[in-house]
Amino acid sequence: MRKHLKFTFLICTIALFVGSCSSDDGSIFDTPIPDNTGGEEEDDSEEPEVATIVFNEAVPSSNITTASASGEAGTNVTGRVIFTSDATTQRRMYITQNYLGQGEMPFSSFDLVSDDLTKALKADGSIDLDGATKKEIDFSFPLPVPDIENGEIVYSFWTTTGKGDFRDSEKRLALGVGQITVTIGTGANPAAAVREFTGVKLFAPAQDGTTESFFSLLNETVYRINVGPEFRAFWDFGYYYGASGDSAGDNASFASTEQYDASFGFAVEGLEPGADEENAATETLNQMFFASSTTIDAAAFDAITLNGELNFIASSDAQKITNLSVGDVVEFVDNYGKKGLIKITAIEPGFNNNDFIEFDVKIQP
């Protein structure tokens, strides 16, 4: 499966900064303030301007919701985030990155192994605002500027009162959303290309949730449902092969996460939140709407390259599609309004756990 996530080196840089600031006695985001009153002469040299966003729940008139910085390719610019809550408890911070207008992606550090970082990050990649950070956050970080001539990189920041969603900033929102925009050259972005995933393989499900039966359009990842509740907002749709129960006769089928148990005919362990999970009472599952394409065949699917070429797709009201065959093209609209196509490339029919479906995806960024 091709990956299109941008700038993992940038992800690691901010994560290392966050991890290195942690201590047992203070906030992991404490930013030292220089003391210029100790008798030494202040440095009159001009300091570079820091792109700063500010949210103050008690004094919203002081909010600075956007900031910008110009960067030279191959250098760094500095960003600063100050979030102060009053009545609200901030429990997590979410950060996304929109690189050259190609769509917002999670800004986290799944691939970086660090004892300090493990303490600072939740499993879904959000920042754990424990201790003093629940009320006041103030941290700065370097933003490396990529080696490009023109374009923009937009970073979005918000905090939540519980488990949030990288694709839905309103979910349990505490403070935000603020944005820092880094401009290179003219700031003009190229035409947005579709995001493309190839060779995605999902297996017929096991009721205990141990098979790789679900897919995330967010991070192009196949999931077992028993991996844990941190990833519930990532799951978009699953595969099943109807051979028994309420799904008799469906054969190779997709269903949205929300409608999966009802479509499959059996409850898959881990799909619905347990009573003891964080935010269990208000948890939601992703919807997704499918339709067989009447205008796009396999050859036309292969020819699509730009975001705008998917604008023709209209949402159906069906959260499952059944009796899929090799060569079929499926239109879809996901929970967040993104439009896309799925082309079926292989099916190993059956409901045993080594039976599968394989497909390619093109989706708007």
Short mmCIF file of all heavy atoms in Angstrom, two decimals, residues 1-5 194-200 215 219-221 304 361-362:
data_model
loop_
_atom_site.label_atom_id
_atom_site.label_comp_id
_atom_site.label_asym_id
_atom_site.label_seq_id
_atom_site.Cartn_x
_atom_site.Cartn_y
_atom_site.Cartn_z
N MET A 1 0.85 -1.18 0.00
CA MET A 1 0.00 0.00 0.00
C MET A 1 0.88 1.22 0.00
O MET A 1 1.80 1.34 0.78
CB MET A 1 -0.83 -0.02 1.28
CG MET A 1 -1.95 0.99 1.31
SD MET A 1 -2.67 1.03 2.96
CE MET A 1 -2.88 -0.69 3.27
N ARG A 2 0.63 2.17 -0.91
CA ARG A 2 1.48 3.34 -0.98
C ARG A 2 1.12 4.31 0.13
O ARG A 2 -0.02 4.53 0.44
CB ARG A 2 1.33 4.03 -2.33
CG ARG A 2 1.86 3.21 -3.48
CD ARG A 2 2.03 4.03 -4.71
NE ARG A 2 0.89 4.91 -4.93
CZ ARG A 2 0.82 5.77 -5.93
NH1 ARG A 2 1.83 5.91 -6.75
NH2 ARG A 2 -0.26 6.52 -6.09
N LYS A 3 2.12 4.90 0.69
CA LYS A 3 1.91 5.85 1.75
C LYS A 3 2.17 7.25 1.24
O LYS A 3 3.13 7.50 0.52
CB LYS A 3 2.87 5.58 2.93
CG LYS A 3 2.62 4.22 3.58
CD LYS A 3 1.36 4.24 4.38
CE LYS A 3 1.12 2.95 5.13
NZ LYS A 3 -0.06 2.99 5.93
N HIS A 4 1.32 8.21 1.67
CA HIS A 4 1.49 9.57 1.21
C HIS A 4 1.58 10.53 2.39
O HIS A 4 1.39 11.73 2.24
CB HIS A 4 0.32 9.97 0.30
CG HIS A 4 0.34 9.23 -1.01
ND1 HIS A 4 1.04 9.67 -2.10
CD2 HIS A 4 -0.24 8.06 -1.36
CE1 HIS A 4 0.86 8.81 -3.09
NE2 HIS A 4 0.09 7.84 -2.65
N LEU A 5 1.80 10.05 3.58
CA LEU A 5 1.95 10.95 4.71
C LEU A 5 3.23 11.74 4.56
O LEU A 5 4.29 11.18 4.28
CB LEU A 5 1.98 10.17 6.03
CG LEU A 5 0.72 9.40 6.36
CD1 LEU A 5 0.89 8.64 7.65
CD2 LEU A 5 -0.46 10.34 6.48
N VAL A 194 -5.42 13.51 -5.87
CA VAL A 194 -6.13 12.56 -5.03
C VAL A 194 -5.12 11.81 -4.16
O VAL A 194 -3.96 11.65 -4.52
CB VAL A 194 -6.95 11.55 -5.87
CG1 VAL A 194 -8.05 12.24 -6.63
CG2 VAL A 194 -6.03 10.75 -6.80
N ARG A 195 -5.59 11.37 -3.00
CA ARG A 195 -4.80 10.42 -2.22
C ARG A 195 -5.11 9.04 -2.77
O ARG A 195 -6.26 8.70 -3.04
CB ARG A 195 -5.15 10.50 -0.73
CG ARG A 195 -4.80 11.83 -0.10
CD ARG A 195 -5.27 11.89 1.34
NE ARG A 195 -4.62 10.87 2.14
CZ ARG A 195 -5.21 10.21 3.14
NH1 ARG A 195 -6.49 10.43 3.41
NH2 ARG A 195 -4.54 9.32 3.84
N GLU A 196 -4.08 8.24 -2.91
CA GLU A 196 -4.24 6.94 -3.58
C GLU A 196 -3.61 5.85 -2.76
O GLU A 196 -2.47 5.96 -2.31
CB GLU A 196 -3.59 7.02 -4.96
CG GLU A 196 -3.73 5.76 -5.78
CD GLU A 196 -3.14 5.91 -7.17
OE1 GLU A 196 -2.61 7.00 -7.48
OE2 GLU A 196 -3.18 4.94 -7.94
N PHE A 197 -4.34 4.77 -2.51
CA PHE A 197 -3.83 3.60 -1.80
C PHE A 197 -4.02 2.39 -2.70
O PHE A 197 -5.08 2.22 -3.30
CB PHE A 197 -4.58 3.34 -0.48
CG PHE A 197 -5.09 4.58 0.21
CD1 PHE A 197 -6.38 4.63 0.69
CD2 PHE A 197 -4.28 5.69 0.37
CE1 PHE A 197 -6.87 5.76 1.33
CE2 PHE A 197 -4.75 6.83 1.01
CZ PHE A 197 -6.05 6.87 1.49
N THR A 198 -3.01 1.55 -2.79
CA THR A 198 -3.11 0.37 -3.64
C THR A 198 -2.85 -0.90 -2.84
O THR A 198 -2.12 -0.89 -1.85
CB THR A 198 -2.11 0.44 -4.80
OG1 THR A 198 -0.78 0.51 -4.28
CG2 THR A 198 -2.37 1.66 -5.68
N GLY A 199 -3.48 -1.98 -3.27
CA GLY A 199 -3.22 -3.28 -2.66
C GLY A 199 -3.70 -3.42 -1.24
O GLY A 199 -3.12 -4.16 -0.44
N VAL A 200 -4.80 -2.73 -0.88
CA VAL A 200 -5.37 -2.88 0.46
C VAL A 200 -6.04 -4.25 0.55
O VAL A 200 -6.84 -4.61 -0.30
CB VAL A 200 -6.40 -1.77 0.75
CG1 VAL A 200 -6.94 -1.92 2.17
CG2 VAL A 200 -5.79 -0.40 0.54
N PHE A 215 -10.65 -0.78 7.70
CA PHE A 215 -9.70 0.11 7.03
C PHE A 215 -9.95 1.55 7.44
O PHE A 215 -11.10 1.97 7.63
CB PHE A 215 -9.85 -0.01 5.51
CG PHE A 215 -8.80 0.76 4.74
CD1 PHE A 215 -7.47 0.41 4.84
CD2 PHE A 215 -9.15 1.82 3.92
CE1 PHE A 215 -6.49 1.11 4.14
CE2 PHE A 215 -8.19 2.51 3.20
CZ PHE A 215 -6.85 2.16 3.32
N ASN A 219 -5.35 7.25 7.68
CA ASN A 219 -3.91 6.96 7.67
C ASN A 219 -3.56 5.73 6.85
O ASN A 219 -2.47 5.18 6.99
CB ASN A 219 -3.40 6.78 9.11
CG ASN A 219 -4.08 5.65 9.84
OD1 ASN A 219 -4.97 4.99 9.30
ND2 ASN A 219 -3.68 5.41 11.07
N GLU A 220 -4.50 5.29 5.99
CA GLU A 220 -4.24 4.21 5.03
C GLU A 220 -3.85 2.91 5.71
O GLU A 220 -3.08 2.12 5.18
CB GLU A 220 -3.14 4.62 4.05
CG GLU A 220 -3.32 5.99 3.45
CD GLU A 220 -2.06 6.51 2.80
OE1 GLU A 220 -1.28 5.70 2.28
OE2 GLU A 220 -1.85 7.73 2.83
N THR A 221 -4.43 2.65 6.87
CA THR A 221 -4.02 1.51 7.69
C THR A 221 -5.15 0.51 7.85
O THR A 221 -6.31 0.87 8.01
CB THR A 221 -3.57 2.00 9.08
OG1 THR A 221 -2.45 2.87 8.92
CG2 THR A 221 -3.17 0.84 9.98
N ILE A 304 -7.88 8.69 -13.06
CA ILE A 304 -8.16 9.82 -12.17
C ILE A 304 -6.92 10.18 -11.37
O ILE A 304 -6.30 9.33 -10.73
CB ILE A 304 -9.34 9.48 -11.24
CG1 ILE A 304 -10.63 9.45 -12.05
CG2 ILE A 304 -9.44 10.49 -10.10
CD1 ILE A 304 -11.84 9.02 -11.26
N VAL A 361 -7.85 2.39 -3.68
CA VAL A 361 -8.70 3.50 -3.27
C VAL A 361 -8.14 4.80 -3.84
O VAL A 361 -6.92 5.02 -3.87
CB VAL A 361 -8.77 3.64 -1.73
CG1 VAL A 361 -9.65 4.82 -1.33
CG2 VAL A 361 -9.28 2.36 -1.09
N LYS A 362 -9.04 5.68 -4.28
CA LYS A 362 -8.70 7.08 -4.57
C LYS A 362 -9.71 7.95 -3.83
O LYS A 362 -10.92 7.73 -3.94
CB LYS A 362 -8.73 7.36 -6.07
CG LYS A 362 -7.60 6.63 -6.81
CD LYS A 362 -7.51 7.01 -8.28
CE LYS A 362 -6.32 6.30 -8.91
NZ LYS A 362 -6.14 6.63 -10.36
#
